[in-house]
Amino acid sequence: MGSASGLPGPTDAWVTLGALARETSRIRLGTLVTAATFRHPSVLAISVAQVDQMSGGRVDFGLGSGWYDAEHQAYGIPMPEIKERFDLYAEQLEIITGLWETPEGETFSFDGKHYQLADAPALPKPAQSPRPPVIIGGGGKKRTPALAARFADEFNAAFVDADTAAAQFERVDAACREIGRDPKAVIRSAAQVVAVGKDDAEFARRAAAIGRETDEVKQNGLAGTVDEVVDKIGRYREATGVTRLYLQVLDLSDLDHLELIASKVAPQL
């Protein structure tokens, strides 16, 4: 994206996660989020179930409708208009969760506008029963909350301010109540860019490394000194009710950044 070279090139998320499943033992693994435009839902259900088995049940499954038009064009992946894309997305959620939740020995069929399955054996099963947690996110005011109410174990507000996130969480809660589901059954989470320094100078260096101005990234992310970031997380949580945060680390070579977050930020939460 942008002026970056892209080297060494993109990875396939679920191939990568399968490898990480065998190289790790504790961290949870998942996508935030897989694009529904990239894969047939039956194939995706099999891939994710395999990674869940390979990890011993550590997958969180995030699925979205797809959004980055240039990537689709570059790789020749069809990207329908938003209404059709959301129709595909809704059917994929129903198919993937349906395949996973079908009892062993029974079959799953689906007759939708975009996908038709006839007597699928609904195998393999994921390690988690009846299925891995499903993460949904997005800012749509009607269809997104409705899908979250039906399918989500977690709703993620990605890269938005606290007021925007709180309003969307309320829409999800309302959609849950409308179908008789307890809104508290859906975990509230957020994703934010992170840039933390042990002092102002280190923070400024990290902001520059990812091409961000210090004031801008403080305004739009979790950025600053350790105390500043801890304080912002606390204020964000109070305003939104989130209980989980995903930190977008943009400088993948800066492992000291991760160490600082783990040793100085996380223990204060």
Side-chain angles (χ1 to χ4, degrees), residues 34-164:
T34 292
T37 49
F38 286 175
R39 299 168 178 82
H40 191 284
S42 299
V43 176
L44 181 56
I46 290 169
S47 298
V48 177
Q50 285 182 292
V51 176
D52 200 48
Q53 286 285 354
M54 293 163 74
S55 69
R58 289 184 284 126
V59 162
D60 294 317
F61 176 60
L63 185 67
S65 62
W67 68 277
Y68 190 40
D69 188 57
E71 183 178 27
H72 289 73
Q73 291 181 10
Y75 289 95
I77 300 169
M79 185 167 181
E81 293 300 316
I82 184 65
K83 182 184 182 305
E84 182 181 353
R85 201 157 72 243
F86 243 82
D87 292 343
L88 288 166
Y89 177 38
E91 289 192 16
Q92 288 212 2
L93 283 165
E94 193 162 350
I95 290 166
I96 293 167
T97 57
L99 287 167
W100 289 338
E101 293 174 356
T102 297
E104 287 188 18
E106 299 184 16
T107 60
F108 175 81
S109 296
F110 182 83
D111 186 17
K113 179 180 178 182
H114 299 282
Y115 303 105
Q116 296 80 41
L117 283 68
D119 299 325
L123 296 171
K125 295 298 183 201
Q128 297 174 91
S129 181
R131 57 171 173 76
V134 172
I135 305 171
I136 289 176
K141 292 179 172 58
K142 293 183 179 180
R143 295 189 72 180
T144 297
L147 288 175
R150 287 183 63 194
F151 297 107
D153 300 284
E154 175 180 335
F155 189 85
N156 183 264
F159 312 113
V160 295
D161 60 51
D163 290 343
T164 302

Side-chain angles (χ1 to χ4, degrees), residues 1-9:
M1 296 176 69
S3 60
S5 70
L7 292 173

Side-chain angles (χ1 to χ4, degrees), residues 163-187:
D163 290 343
T164 302
Q168 187 68 339
F169 289 138
E170 289 302 320
R171 293 185 191 102
V172 173
D173 286 357
C176 286
R177 288 190 290 268
E178 191 171 325
I179 64 171
R181 186 181 182 194
D182 182 358
K184 293 181 180 178
V186 181
I187 293 169

Side-chain angles (χ1 to χ4, degrees), residues 196-208 214 224-225 228:
V196 188
K198 62 179 180 292
D199 53 35
D200 288 333
E202 187 174 79
F203 158 61
R205 177 177 62 79
R206 289 203 163 108
T214 55
T225 63
E228 286 177 314

